[in-house]
Amino acid sequence: MTTQCPRCHSTAVITKDLARKVGALVGTVGGAAQGVTGAMAGAEVGAVVGLVAGPAGVVAGGMAGAILGGLAGAATGCIAGAKLGEVIDERVLDNYACLDCELSFNRRQSV
Ligand SMILES: [Zn+2]
């Protein structure tokens, strides 16, 4: 798929993907924070499972649960944030920039 500049019809067009990058970053941080909530639950489950193995098992199980919860939250948040940012790039921002005449434009304006 080639995008053309609506002004000079150059095909030297780049995507800026600004919202996607910001969204991925915000999603990672937000997801990790939300993952902490899940990590608490994960730590509890891990601690309960660890009870079978004694006091050392409680600590190891809790740690494993917390780490898994945080990582899963960050990864999920990153993907969700990037997806949301992509939509903003496509629909709201002028995501395309022409390298020849430096015009910023939205895909819907190109024919
Ligand atoms: Zn142009």
Side-chain angles (χ1 to χ4, degrees):
M1 188 178 66
T2 312
T3 307
Q4 259 194 348
C5 172
R7 187 197 284 166
C8 69
H9 301 291
S10 166
T11 51
V13 168
I14 55 161
T15 55
K16 292 189 276 191
D17 292 334
L18 188 68
R20 189 167 67 87
K21 286 165 192 161
V22 173
L25 184 70
V26 171
T28 303
V29 174
Q34 203 175 38
V36 170
T37 313
M40 297 305 180
E44 272 175 35
V45 173
V48 170
V49 173
L51 270 178
V52 182
V58 174
V59 174
M63 293 266 285
I67 290 166
L68 281 176
L71 282 180
T76 309
C78 179
I79 293 165
K83 282 279 165 209
L84 181 68
E86 251 176 49
V87 173
I88 294 171
D89 275 331
E90 287 288 328
R91 309 236 171 116
V92 182
L93 300 179
D94 290 337
N95 193 37
Y96 296 87
C98 174
L99 294 175
D100 286 333
C101 70
E102 294 181 349
L103 175 73
S104 287
F105 60 99
N106 189 295
R107 183 187 289 177
R108 279 180 298 178
Q109 290 175 307
S110 67
V111 182

